[in-house]
């Protein structure tokens, strides 16, 4: 599979942005289909902070002693999560590196955070 930078027009604001080779590789590595996002990074960030609903991600790591970790989001960025954001039933399974998960994003005063995290079937 070969990749090349792709120019996409944002559906929200009409701005042109690059869907880069790095982002495409990242999606492929994470096992996602390679799909150009509909919206530019700015609009996506805005959308993420306001839109509820489940998003697909991968657990990057989790530190049991600290009680928190990070999830890699579909756009390749990382989001913080706390143990309390994980659905109890899935606790043991979700908190493994590279576990595929669903999550919701909320805005906290310390930035975006993943909550309602549970295992995603792949
Ligand atoms: Zn936009």
């Amino acid at each position: 599979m070969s990749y090349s930078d792709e120019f996409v027009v944002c559906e929200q604001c009409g701005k042109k942005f690059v869907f880069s080779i790095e982002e495409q590789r990242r999606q492929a590595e994470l096992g996602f289909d390679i799909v150009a996002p509909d919206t530019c990074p700015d609009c996506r960030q805005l959308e993420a902070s306001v839109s509820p609903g489940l998003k697909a991600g991968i657990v990057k790591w989790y530190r049991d002693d600290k009680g928190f970790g990070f999830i890699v989001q579909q756009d390749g960025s990382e989001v913080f999560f706390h143990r309390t954001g994980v659905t109890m039933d899935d606790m043991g399974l979700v908190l493994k590196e590279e576990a595929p998960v669903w999550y919701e994003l909320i805005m906290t005063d310390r930035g975006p955070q993943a909550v309602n995290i549970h295992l995603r079937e792949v």
Side-chain angles (χ1 to χ4, degrees), residues 60-72:
K60 188 181 185 200
W61 54 260
Y62 171 72
R63 289 276 302 271
D64 201 24
D65 55 334
K66 302 223 188 273
F68 70 83
F70 281 87
I71 288 173
V72 181

Side-chain angles (χ1 to χ4, degrees), residues 60-95:
K60 188 181 185 200
W61 54 260
Y62 171 72
R63 289 276 302 271
D64 201 24
D65 55 334
K66 302 223 188 273
F68 70 83
F70 281 87
I71 288 173
V72 181
Q73 308 191 83
Q74 201 145 8
D75 67 1
S77 63
E78 291 164 19
V79 63
F80 173 88
F81 76 94
H82 189 262
R83 180 165 40 204
T84 53
V86 180
T87 306
M88 268 323 228
D89 296 347
D90 288 337
M91 190 78 86
L93 296 163
V94 167
L95 301 180

Side-chain angles (χ1 to χ4, degrees), residues 10-15 17 38-44:
C10 175
E11 277 184 4
Q12 294 280 325
C13 66
K15 216 164 62 184
F17 66 98
D38 295 331
T39 50
C40 71
D42 291 344
C43 289
R44 254 178 282 155

Side-chain angles (χ1 to χ4, degrees), residues 5 9-10 12 18 20 33 36 43 49-51 61 70 76 82 87 89 93 102 109 121:
D5 282 346
V9 175
C10 175
Q12 294 280 325
V18 180
S20 69
D33 292 335
C43 289
S49 63
V50 292
S51 79
W61 54 260
F70 281 87
H82 189 262
T87 306
D89 296 347
L93 296 163
W102 292 113
D109 41 355
E121 306 290 336

